[in-house]
Structures are given as structure tokens and as C-alpha cells.
Amino acid sequence: MTRKLPATDVVIVGLGWTGSILANELTDAGLDVVAVERGPWRDTASDFPPSYAPDELRYRLHHELFLRPAQASLTFRNNLEQTALPVRTWGAFMLGNGAGGAGVHWNAETWRFLPSDFVLKSHLTQRYGAGFLPPDMTIQDWGVTFDELEPHYDRFEYLCGTSGTAGNLKGVIKDGGNPFEGPRSRPYPTPAQPQPFSHTLFAEAAKQLGYKPFPQPSGNLSAAYTNPLGVKLGPCTYCGFCEWFGCGNYSKASPQTTILPVLLGKPNFEARTLCEVTRINLDASGKRATGATYVDSSGDSWEQPADLVILCAFQLFNVQLLLLSGIGTPYNPRTGQGQIGRNFSHQTVSTATGFFDNTKFNFNPFIASGAIGMCIDEFNGDNFDHGPHGFVGGGYMGQVQTNGRPIETTPVPPGTPGWGAAWKKAVKDNYLSTVFGGAAVHGSSYSYRTNYLDLDPVYQDRFGRPLLRMTMDLHDNELKMSAFLTDRYAEVVQKMGARQVDKQPRKGPYDVTKYQTSHLCGGAVMGSNPGNSALNTYLQSWDVPNLFVQGASAFPQNAGYNPTGTVAALAFRSAEAIRGQYLKNPGPLVHA
């Protein structure tokens, strides 16, 4: 039996980056906000103390911070002809669990998308012609421009204290920064992080090849900082335990170190953890959300009525909740009709490992941070002429070696035995003198008609609900792109002085067991009209106007950058529209 709770103004599903941003903005507007979070409460001091937080076995191998497949999983197949089977161990991506969400364990690479990324379909069509694009590619414009998002990118960077070097300040290109970035209204709030040896060597080699390297924008802070909310962060200590880990030094931007300390002091905010939302409730018309139903850790079911419902779960679970709640039309890949589940994308990453003479090079890979690196952007987005190459898309690349943790950091040259004395000697000989990285080339992932999400007809979760089914494969366009970019990256590594370079471009088919990134996108995309999107440009549901859906589920396709900065910018823009427009006149913010 489901028990009904007293109504509130707003119920938020999920308390990661977007949930924290929306909760803070709407409580500031005087609204009563309840956030329902599936995982446990997580606090910096008690959950990530430096005395045990840097534990590779506990956090990287045993997945301490992540959702367990027994809690929630999905099924996977590469194409419509295959039978999808349950994912029982996370591989290609990791799903956060608990307050702070993926913002706890992210590397803190804080990028802005390129201006052309937001008008991708029209831009590529105008430059190359419609016939240049693969016929089954379903990319589209976002309905919002870089200039409209810039103030919101700026807010997030100043919330986080992001460290970096501006490359385009109010339209003026600046030395040392990324010359390809869109114009920013002011510099980064803190200077770029000092770079270790291998990263500096990469930058020197890139310059010799005619490129313009710049420091990766980082939420691992270079200096002490107090953000606009009055929350203090400290400088990074280069411990090398960022991705997969929480930061106990208060030096990595996360909801815990930027927003939650302020939010928790507000009397009109309440967080309910270890509670899983099972459904968004609708009225008899199906056009208005009345709240959310959730199950607590005791197995009791509760209905939380609310005037406004905001989905801030991880991308996959936003889509699943929309499908389970009967909101919008499920996507049909055979007809191309429907919006919920459409335009699913991931990321196309690759690398090239450089082996150097260990008598001349010592890179000390254990001295690093999650977003340390020197990068080049000459091959990102449409920054280069794709015409001769037969593909679209691209990515940033760089020496972004973020750690040298002992269990996984065992780079050895090709041909080395997989175990035994020879393997041990090769690990010893190469540990300090190898340039490596799981995503040295961080490429885009464009959307296709047959890459989508729906509900599995066979498998169910512990509540008896259908699991989400992922149908995903790599297409020739992305494979060509990966091969081309990997070759360009390998040329820089060779120029650094490597005696041997092992290139590892992305190969098909898409492998759900091999980690790439956790940057899953699409499934409830934003756009200019209900014919091409599930959400309008303020992330408001076309079908249910008092429902807003945050996060990367709104991306029509994924660019060649990490998505968090854009996710946050969209959240700030959505919150501004709710406060400035929706609350004054509840209803659709954009009329179809």
C-alpha cells in the first residue's frame, strides 16, 4: 500500500549536480523542495577522509561508490536482430550512487562545447552538403546557442572555482588558452594547474608540429578559492585518486564541496536518501504531473505530491522513468517515430601508448590529478576540414595522464607475456617511463536511427518493472574518426621521443564490457518543436509542462568533450526560466 505524504512545491528526483543546482535555485526562490535520492548520503569529511579514500581496490575494483547491478541494471544488445541480455557488471560506463551522484567520482574535466556543436546539423549540412552525412545519422540542432548558454557556463565555472587559461576572452584570442573555444565573458576563476613533466613534454611536441596546446580546464583547483555561495575549496595535492574516488581534500569541485553545505542549511529543503522513485504520477488527463512515488529502504511505498516535478537522475534512469510513467511517445526505430529513447549516444575514445627509454625519462605518473593535462583542439568538432576524410565529428586529445595507481598501472610493450617473470620485469622497466591514458583521444559520438533505449520485454528489476534496454553499436563514421584522430595523437607522442608507440583506435562492435567513459547521452532530447524532441529548450516536457528533465539525456548527440559543464549550464538556464517565467505563469514556456 502506498501512503500519501503532505504536498510540497517541488519534488526533485536525484541529488547529483543538476539536482543540487535546481534545489538551490528554487529554494532561493522561496519554494519548498524535497529531493529523493536512490543512494546513501555522502559527506566529504566522513565518507572520503584521506586516511582511507585513496584505496584503489575498494573504490576502483570493488566499485564502492557505484550503483550495484542488483539495485538497478539494464539489458544490452548491438542491434535489433539480437536478444538483449542483462548487464551484471558495469564495464563500458560506471553509474554513480548517492548524494552528489557522478559529481563525487568524476575527474572534474570542465569543458564548454564548441559554438558549432549546438547547431551541428545545420552547420555540417551548410559546409559539406546533406549528402555528406550518413543516411541513418539522426543528429540535429539543439535549439539553443552557445551565446545563450555562455552566462550559465560562467556560473558553473565560478561555482566550482574551475582552473584554466582563457583562449577566447570576449572575442580576443589569448596566448596559452584554447583558440578554438567560444568567446567567454571573463577569465577562469583560478589559474590553470601546473603541469607535470610528461604533460609539458607533450605540449612542446605539439607546438613543434604546429598545434596550439593549452591546459585542460580543471575542477581540481590550482589554488584556494571561495565560491559565490561562500563555500571554500583548497588546492589540489596531486594524489592521483580522482576518478572512481571521492576527494577528501576539498580540492575537487563536487556538489559536496560547492552547493550542498549551503543547501542543507535551508529550512525549505529536505533530502530523502536510500529512496528509489518508481514512477512519476500523472493526473487523469495525463498532461500534468502530480508528484512521484518512491520506495524507501524498508520497502515501504510513498507518494510525494508536488506542483512541480524535476527529473535529475542519471541519463539512463531519466529515460526509464519517462517510459515507465507513460510520458511521451516511445521511440520506434523501424518507423523513426516517437521521442522517448531516441538519439542515444555515448563517447568514442581511444589512445596510443608511448614507451620511452627508462634511462632518460622519468614521468612519475603517480603525481597527477583527475583533470590534469595539456590538450590540442585542432581535430575537435568541425575545427578541421572533414571533406577529404569521409567522416564528421572529432575530439580533443592530449596528454591527460591522471594517475599511476599500482593495481591497474602496468603498461608493457606489445608482445610482453601476460604473466610471469618477463611480465614483472617489463612492468618494472616501463612504469615510470611510459605515456599512457585510457582516453587520450576523447571523441564525439553522433546519433543514429538504430542506437536507442526502450523497455525490455523480458527482464524486470526488483520492483517488477521492465529493465531499460540499450541497443547500441559503433558506426563507420565514428570508427573512421577514431582511426584518424588516434594517428594524429600518436604522431605527437612519437615527437615527444617515444622509442615505441602502440596505437589503440576504437574498434567495433560496441563493447559493453570495456570502459570508455560514463558520458551516456540522449533518450529525451531537447529541440525546437515536439516533432524533433521530447523537451523544449528549457528542458520542459512538451507533453507534461510541470515536468522538467535535466541532464545529458537532453543531448541530441554527444560532442568531443566531457558533458558535465554543458549539463550544468543547461540546468542553470532551466532554473532561470522556471524562476523568471514559469512560476509567474505556470504552463508551457515554448508553444509548439
Side-chain angles (χ1 to χ4, degrees):
M1 174 180 156
T2 299
R3 286 176 281 182
K4 194 170 185 176
L5 294 161
T8 189
D9 295 323
V10 185
V11 62
I12 291 177
V13 181
L15 194 57
W17 270 124
T18 62
S20 300
I21 289 170
L22 268 293
N24 192 58
E25 293 294 302
L26 298 183
T27 50
D28 275 356
L31 301 179
D32 291 327
V33 176
V34 172
V36 183
E37 165 58 47
R38 168 166 50 198
W41 180 256
R42 299 196 189 278
D43 181 74
T44 298
S46 57
D47 286 281
F48 318 122
S51 57
Y52 71 75
D55 185 332
E56 186 180 6
L57 183 64
R58 176 177 183 173
Y59 290 99
R60 174 62 184 100
L61 280 302
H62 292 169
H63 301 167
E64 174 81 10
L65 294 178
F66 300 100
L67 186 71
R68 303 294 179 176
Q71 293 173 269
S73 189
L74 65 151
T75 64
F76 172 79
R77 61 182 181 176
N78 285 123
N79 57 63
L80 278 68
E81 285 66 45
Q82 293 178 343
T83 299
L85 296 174
V87 173
R88 301 189 183 277
T89 300
W90 302 127
F93 44 85
M94 301 299 298
L95 306 180
N97 186 40
V104 170
H105 68 83
W106 73 316
N107 262 336
E109 300 174 18
T110 314
W111 295 96
R112 299 179 173 198
F113 283 7
L114 296 168
S116 60
D117 288 331
F118 296 103
V119 290
L120 186 68
K121 179 68 177 292
S122 58
H123 172 86
L124 293 177
T125 301
Q126 181 178 8
R127 183 171 183 182
Y128 302 106
F132 192 75
L133 303 178
D136 59 341
M137 183 179 279
T138 56
I139 59 173
Q140 64 188 55
D141 295 355
W142 293 53
V144 66
T145 66
F146 174 88
D147 288 343
E148 290 172 310
L149 274 184
E150 199 282 332
H152 308 292
Y153 275 126
D154 181 82
R155 282 199 69 186
F156 184 61
E157 289 167 359
Y158 273 75
L159 175 77
C160 295
T162 307
S163 300
T165 300
N168 183 341
L169 191 57
K170 298 181 179 180
V172 178
I173 303 303
K174 297 290 187 179
D175 290 339
N178 180 3
F180 297 96
E181 71 173 349
R184 58 176 60 248
S185 55
R186 53 179 172 168
Y188 285 97
T190 56
Q193 288 186 285
Q195 301 292 320
F197 174 40
S198 65
H199 307 66
T200 303
L201 192 62
F202 176 91
E204 292 174 353
K207 286 180 181 178
Q208 292 173 22
L209 291 173
Y211 303 132
K212 296 180 179 178
F214 58 91
Q216 183 167 243
S218 173
N220 311 124
L221 272 61
S222 63
Y225 178 74
T226 301
N227 75 11
L229 299 181
V231 181
K232 298 180 184 295
L233 293 89
C236 177
T237 60
Y238 289 74
C239 73
F241 288 82
C242 283
E243 83 269 42
W244 319 104
F245 305 86
C247 178
N249 295 317
Y250 294 86
S251 54
K252 180 171 75 172
S254 69
Q256 278 81 357
T257 59
T258 60
I259 306 177
L260 290 177
V262 172
L263 191 56
L264 289 175
K266 297 181 177 181
N268 54 339
F269 173 74
E270 180 184 354
R272 298 176 190 158
T273 56
L274 297 174
C275 295
E276 180 160 358
V277 172
T278 57
R279 189 176 185 88
I280 304 302
N281 302 318
L282 303 175
D283 67 5
S285 71
K287 298 297 183 183
R288 182 179 182 278
T290 59
T293 295
Y294 66 88
V295 177
D296 66 17
S297 59
S298 298
D300 295 325
S301 180
W302 303 87
E303 179 185 348
Q304 177 57 70
D307 295 325
L308 186 60
V309 179
I310 304 180
L311 271 183
C312 295
F314 187 76
Q315 175 270 340
L316 292 173
F317 303 115
N318 276 348
V319 177
Q320 184 185 32
L321 275 172
L322 291 171
L323 291 169
L324 291 171
S325 304
I327 298 171
T329 304
Y331 173 68
N332 184 331
R334 301 187 187 279
T335 66
Q337 301 300 305
Q339 296 297 338
I340 309 303
R342 172 178 168 269
N343 278 35
F344 174 67
S345 60
H346 190 181
Q347 205 87 62
T348 312
V349 300
S350 61
T351 193
T353 302
F355 298 93
F356 291 71
D357 184 342
N358 64 8
T359 66
K360 299 179 180 178
F361 295 89
N362 184 341
F363 296 131
N364 289 331
F366 48 85
I367 302 174
S369 73
I372 198 74
M374 292 297 291
C375 303
I376 59 174
D377 234 6
E378 275 80 358
F379 301 104
N380 205 349
D382 199 37
N383 292 341
F384 62 105
D385 183 4
H386 289 73
H389 306 298
F391 65 83
V392 290
Y396 75 88
M397 60 181 72
Q399 172 51 4
V400 291
Q401 196 161 313
T402 63
N403 73 86
R405 296 186 295 267
I407 297 177
E408 285 194 302
T409 308
T410 55
V412 292
T416 302
W419 64 284
W423 176 82
K424 291 179 181 178
K425 183 178 186 303
V427 170
K428 176 179 179 293
D429 290 343
N430 290 280
Y431 174 77
L432 292 173
S433 58
T434 300
V435 163
F436 57 92
V441 178
H442 198 281
S444 56
S445 175
Y446 288 166
S447 50
Y448 293 87
R449 183 164 177 160
T450 53
N451 287 349
Y452 73 105
L453 303 169
D454 67 349
L455 296 178
D456 192 276
V458 177
Y459 294 97
Q460 298 179 339
D461 66 12
R462 67 190 193 278
F463 301 115
R465 306 176 303 166
L467 293 183
L468 194 67
R469 178 170 62 180
M470 176 190 295
T471 304
M472 176 70 178
D473 208 352
L474 294 169
H475 289 240
D476 287 344
N477 182 82
E478 277 61 43
L479 297 177
K480 289 179 182 178
M481 177 199 68
S482 180
F484 178 79
L485 266 65
T486 305
D487 284 346
R488 304 290 78 74
Y489 176 71
E491 290 169 356
V492 184
V493 175
Q494 190 74 62
K495 190 70 173 176
M496 293 170 65
R499 57 177 170 76
Q500 182 179 2
V501 179
D502 178 25
K503 295 189 288 189
Q504 300 155 39
R506 180 61 55 190
K507 301 289 188 180
Y510 179 91
D511 186 351
V512 78
T513 70
K514 186 176 181 180
Y515 187 74
Q516 295 171 76
T517 69
S518 297
H519 307 156
L520 305 179
C521 301
V525 308
M526 62 188 293
S528 57
N529 64 77
N532 70 1
S533 55
L535 313 174
N536 65 27
T537 62
Y538 299 107
L539 307 188
Q540 181 185 36
S541 168
W542 290 109
D543 299 282
V544 181
N546 68 328
L547 172 68
F548 289 76
V549 184
Q550 309 294 322
S553 50
F555 289 18
Q557 57 276 328
N558 202 6
Y561 290 119
N562 306 61
T564 307
T566 302
V567 164
L570 289 170
F572 274 117
R573 184 173 186 268
S574 180
E576 180 182 75
I578 293 171
R579 292 180 60 170
Q581 300 177 56
Y582 180 86
L583 294 179
K584 296 175 182 177
N585 185 23
L589 296 176
V590 179
H591 293 277

